Protein backbone atom coordinates (compact mmCIF):
# COMPACT_ATOMS: atom_id res chain seq x y z
CA UNK A 1 0.00 0.00 0.00
CA UNK A 2 1.28 3.44 -0.90
CA UNK A 3 0.65 6.52 1.22
CA UNK A 4 0.32 9.68 -0.83
CA UNK A 5 0.94 12.87 1.07
CA UNK A 6 0.87 16.36 -0.38
CA UNK A 7 4.06 18.06 0.86
CA UNK A 8 2.23 21.35 1.36
CA UNK A 9 -0.28 19.68 3.69
CA UNK A 10 2.12 19.04 6.61
CA UNK A 11 0.70 20.77 9.68
CA UNK A 12 2.59 19.43 12.73
CA UNK A 13 5.12 16.67 13.44
CA UNK A 14 6.06 15.34 16.88
CA UNK A 15 8.51 12.57 17.78
CA UNK A 16 8.93 10.72 21.06
CA UNK A 17 11.32 8.02 22.21
CA UNK A 18 9.64 4.90 23.61
CA UNK A 19 12.15 4.18 26.38
CA UNK A 20 13.77 1.63 26.93
CA UNK A 21 13.24 0.20 23.43
CA UNK A 22 14.82 1.50 20.24
CA UNK A 23 11.38 2.58 19.01
CA UNK A 24 10.16 6.06 18.24
CA UNK A 25 6.59 7.24 17.94
CA UNK A 26 5.97 9.74 15.18
CA UNK A 27 2.81 11.86 15.11
CA UNK A 28 2.24 13.56 11.77
CA UNK A 29 -0.74 15.85 11.24
CA UNK A 30 -1.88 17.20 7.87
CA UNK A 31 -4.26 19.83 6.51
CA UNK A 32 -5.44 17.46 3.75
CA UNK A 33 -6.27 13.75 4.06
CA UNK A 34 -3.60 11.14 3.40
CA UNK A 35 -4.53 9.01 0.40
CA UNK A 36 -3.80 5.30 0.30
CA UNK A 37 -3.39 3.42 -2.96
CA UNK A 38 -3.43 -0.37 -3.12
CA UNK A 39 -0.80 -2.49 -4.73
CA UNK A 40 -1.81 -5.62 -6.62
CA UNK A 41 -4.10 -8.15 -4.99
CA UNK A 42 -7.51 -8.35 -3.35
CA UNK A 43 -6.20 -8.26 0.23
CA UNK A 44 -4.20 -5.09 -0.47
CA UNK A 45 -7.30 -3.43 -1.95
CA UNK A 46 -9.35 -4.45 1.09
CA UNK A 47 -6.77 -3.08 3.54
CA UNK A 48 -6.49 0.09 1.49
CA UNK A 49 -10.26 0.59 1.65
CA UNK A 50 -10.08 0.31 5.44
CA UNK A 51 -7.23 2.83 5.68
CA UNK A 52 -9.07 5.28 3.42
CA UNK A 53 -11.97 5.20 5.89
CA UNK A 54 -9.68 5.83 8.86
CA UNK A 55 -11.15 7.71 11.84
CA UNK A 56 -8.92 10.66 11.08
CA UNK A 57 -7.38 10.57 7.60
CA UNK A 58 -5.48 13.79 8.36
CA UNK A 59 -3.04 12.13 10.76
CA UNK A 60 -0.53 9.33 10.95
CA UNK A 61 0.49 7.99 14.37
CA UNK A 62 3.01 5.16 14.15
CA UNK A 63 5.91 3.57 15.96
CA UNK A 64 9.16 3.00 14.09
CA UNK A 65 12.37 1.25 15.04
CA UNK A 66 15.50 3.40 15.02
CA UNK A 67 16.68 2.06 11.64
CA UNK A 68 13.42 3.09 9.96
CA UNK A 69 13.17 6.49 11.60
CA UNK A 70 16.80 7.22 10.63
CA UNK A 71 15.70 6.91 6.98
CA UNK A 72 12.45 8.83 7.47
CA UNK A 73 13.83 11.94 9.20
CA UNK A 74 16.09 13.03 6.29
CA UNK A 75 13.08 12.70 3.95
CA UNK A 76 11.11 15.00 6.24
CA UNK A 77 14.01 17.48 6.27
CA UNK A 78 14.16 17.38 2.47
CA UNK A 79 10.44 18.18 2.21
CA UNK A 80 10.42 20.67 5.10
CA UNK A 81 13.78 22.48 5.30
CA UNK A 82 12.65 24.42 8.40
CA UNK A 83 11.99 21.17 10.32
CA UNK A 84 14.03 20.65 13.48
CA UNK A 85 15.42 17.13 13.02
CA UNK A 86 16.62 15.70 16.36
CA UNK A 87 19.73 13.68 17.17
CA UNK A 88 18.49 10.13 17.79
CA UNK A 89 21.61 9.16 19.76
CA UNK A 90 20.56 11.47 22.60
CA UNK A 91 16.85 10.63 22.52
CA UNK A 92 16.87 9.31 26.11
CA UNK A 93 17.59 12.88 27.20
CA UNK A 94 15.02 14.60 24.99
CA UNK A 95 12.61 16.87 26.74
CA UNK A 96 10.43 19.85 26.01
CA UNK A 97 9.40 22.47 28.55
CA UNK A 98 6.86 25.02 27.43
CA UNK A 99 4.28 27.01 29.30
CA UNK A 100 3.74 25.02 32.52
CA UNK A 101 4.15 21.62 30.91
CA UNK A 102 7.11 19.30 30.65
CA UNK A 103 7.28 16.43 28.16
CA UNK A 104 9.94 13.78 28.64
CA UNK A 105 11.59 12.16 25.60
CA UNK A 106 9.37 14.22 23.27
CA UNK A 107 10.35 16.80 20.68
CA UNK A 108 8.48 19.03 18.33
CA UNK A 109 9.91 18.62 14.82
CA UNK A 110 7.66 20.93 12.81
CA UNK A 111 4.69 23.25 13.17
CA UNK A 112 3.28 25.08 10.17
CA UNK A 113 1.80 27.75 12.48
CA UNK A 114 4.92 27.87 14.75
CA UNK A 115 2.92 26.61 17.75
CA UNK A 116 4.42 25.37 21.00
CA UNK A 117 4.30 21.64 21.78
CA UNK A 118 1.54 22.22 24.32
CA UNK A 119 -0.54 24.12 21.76
CA UNK A 120 -0.01 21.37 19.16
CA UNK A 121 -1.21 18.73 21.65
CA UNK A 122 -4.27 20.85 22.43
CA UNK A 123 -4.96 21.55 18.75
CA UNK A 124 -5.01 17.83 17.92
CA UNK A 125 -6.98 16.83 21.04
CA UNK A 126 -4.07 15.00 22.66
CA UNK A 127 -4.27 17.25 25.73
CA UNK A 128 -7.09 19.07 27.45
CA UNK A 129 -7.52 22.74 26.69
Amino acid sequence: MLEKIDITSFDDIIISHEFPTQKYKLYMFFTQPVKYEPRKGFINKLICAIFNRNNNPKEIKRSYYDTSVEKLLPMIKQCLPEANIPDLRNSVFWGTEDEKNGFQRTLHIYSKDKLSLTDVFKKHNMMRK
Side-chain angles (χ1 to χ4, degrees):
M1 182 168 47
L2 298 172
E3 291 175 326
K4 289 198 161 190
I5 301 168
D6 181 359
I7 293 173
T8 62
S9 74
F10 276 98
D11 195 14
D12 299 295
I13 304 173
I14 299 167
I15 189 170
S16 63
H17 179 200
E18 295 182 0
F19 184 79
T21 66
Q22 289 300 319
K23 288 175 88 175
Y24 297 86
K25 185 157 264 194
L26 208 59
Y27 303 92
M28 294 183 279
F29 302 97
F30 308 96
T31 56
Q32 298 173 19
V34 176
K35 297 197 182 270
Y36 295 93
E37 289 186 0
R39 294 187 179 182
K40 295 179 184 177
F42 174 75
I43 292 176
N44 284 330
K45 288 181 183 180
L46 180 65
I47 292 170
C48 189
I50 292 168
F51 273 93
N52 278 325
R53 287 169 184 76
N54 185 3
N55 288 342
N56 190 346
K58 292 184 179 181
E59 66 183 37
I60 296 174
K61 295 179 181 177
R62 288 209 188 108
S63 291
Y64 298 93
Y65 283 101
D66 55 351
T67 54
S68 298
V69 84
E70 285 172 352
K71 295 173 186 173
L72 184 60
L73 291 176
M75 287 191 273
I76 291 172
K77 185 67 172 177
Q78 185 179 6
C79 295
L80 303 166
E82 62 275 12
N84 180 25
I85 302 301
D87 176 17
L88 295 180
R89 282 177 257 137
N90 292 318
S91 59
V92 174
F93 305 109
W94 288 351
T96 301
E97 301 268 340
D98 59 35
E99 298 175 18
K100 295 180 181 178
N101 302 299
F103 304 96
Q104 292 181 332
R105 293 182 294 279
T106 303
L107 292 176
H108 195 197
I109 293 178
Y110 175 78
S111 176
K112 184 183 230 177
D113 299 327
K114 310 284 188 245
L115 299 174
S116 69
L117 183 56
T118 300
D119 291 336
V120 170
F121 277 138
K122 289 176 182 177
K123 176 181 174 181
H124 299 289
N125 297 319
M126 297 173 69
M127 184 176 181
R128 287 188 232 169
K129 296 180 181 182

